[in-house]
Amino acid sequence: MTLRYALPLALLALAQPVLTQPALAQDPAVPAYADETASSGLTHSFTGEWTFMVGGGAAAFDCNGDLKPELYLSGGTSKGQLFRNDSPVGGALKFSPVDSGLELDQVGGAYPLDVDSDGNTDLVLLRVGPDKVMRGLGECRFEEATDWGFDGLDLWSTAFAATWEKGADWPTLAIGTYIDRTQEAFPWGTCTPNHLYRPKGKGWDAPLPLKPGFCALSILFTDWNLSGTPSLRMSNDREYYKKGQEQMWKINPGEPPALYTDKDGWARLRIWGMGIASADVTMDGYPDYFLTSMADNKLQVLAEVPEGGNPKPKFADVAFAKGAIAQRPYTGGDIRPSTAWHTEFQDVNNDGRFDIFVVKGNVWEMPDFAEKDPNNLLLQREDGTFMEAGDKAGVASFRQGRGGAVADFNLDGLMDIAVVNRNEPSELWRNTGGDAGHWLALMPVQPAPNQHAVGGWIEVKRADGAVIRRELTVGGGHAGGQLGWWHFGLGAATETEVRVLWPDGTEGPWQKVAADGFYRLARDAEPEAWQPK
């Protein structure tokens, strides 16, 4: 990321008034996080210079059958490392490094996915060099799946997403790439193509280039219009543009990929795109998107939904109005523009509303951007606006953040936080509660293929009758993702109803469950309560 655009952007940002969000509604409860990095055993750093100024992803997933999420942290010029989760239920966070077969160098990102639906989670490693698909063998052991016909190419990979196209028994993968690293003398404008991997038997066909590529740093399969067929959304780094912009591809089964254009209603957007998160924040039934960038971030909602549905791919940015722009540090004294990376929607205080976590960190001592750039924890109020609580909650680190994971590591119903930092130690915070509400953790399961129901939805009723909806996706974030329990806050409700909208369009029935529990949601079955040990 060059200084080419930095000064004009910085001057523009500094010319704007500092945002101070008035308390338009009762402020939400602020969770209390304890920094347990030193005591947890999570000793790791993502290292590197030029080719690892981006990346640094974390993957959270269970690999030994206890349903507690392990952590794989990409290492850059160091080796990536898998950490087994030894945390006691409800207790202090504890992790142990294990020899897993995943100790590769040049890894910038990692995403979990049960490719062959055998019950063992596999892992896709994004690298500077050939990418790898690592087959899970159980007991946190992995090997390269050379028999699956995956051509990892020799590029600088920075983004990943996966889905199952209709009728397919093998997943379709998408991998986003960055610049052509052979053109270091003049890298700007040398973005390499992204690629789509469609199934061929029990494996993949030759990678299909998605051109033009504009240096994707986050991609996501998402059913933005509720058509039942997810599209592929890409968030691209503006710095390397030549006539570039954000992109979204139509991925229709049996058809070549096609870009949405202005003729479809797609509105051009140019940002320093780094991360994508999706959730139905507005509770209108459609997914909304948080896009991280340098300086301002975007909170996008559909600009218009006609009666009866079938909207056009035109989005309105409501980040400024809702206090979610997070364009500069809120503590530490540095007033220069921020640099945002990994992001997630999660309910960290269990009040039934999605909050936003953002990992922050300067790219590489860029003088026009903040050096002391704290992570954001944006808590949603009742009226849909957000308030900053990173410093109050205790997660306002000034390290050079990149990837992260917000997950319930000790299975107590409270969402903990891990962050990967560049050339500095990773960090881990345990959510110790505060005035937290009730919660649910849900895991949809269906017969193979696609056992985790990727491409479906979970719906949960709130006490006020509103429905919390989550699209089941693999991808997004920045260089890392999760697979496992899906977390929902319930506020004061002690019981509720849930259902799954399965990827094939089948609507499961509404089923009653008690709050503060873990449930497997199998097709054509009652919710199965599960008790952590």
Side-chain angles (χ1 to χ4, degrees), residues 32 40 175 187 262 280 375-376 528:
S40 69
I175 294 182
D262 55 355
D280 181 11
N375 303 326
N376 295 106
E528 177 188 357

Side-chain angles (χ1 to χ4, degrees), residues 8 44 78 121 178 202 209 266 339 357 364 388 412 511 525:
H44 172 273
S78 304
T121 301
Y178 208 49
K202 298 298 182 181
W266 179 256
T339 305
F357 179 68
W364 195 354
E388 180 59 64
D412 62 354
Q511 297 173 305

Side-chain angles (χ1 to χ4, degrees), residues 512-527:
K512 287 187 178 181
V513 293
D516 303 330
F518 296 82
Y519 295 89
R520 290 188 178 97
L521 305 178
R523 291 186 71 138
D524 305 317
E526 292 294 319

Side-chain angles (χ1 to χ4, degrees), residues 80-101:
Q81 181 63 58
L82 179 67
F83 290 86
R84 185 184 64 234
N85 188 347
D86 296 328
S87 307
V89 176
L93 302 183
K94 299 291 183 181
F95 286 86
S96 301
V98 295
D99 294 331
S100 61

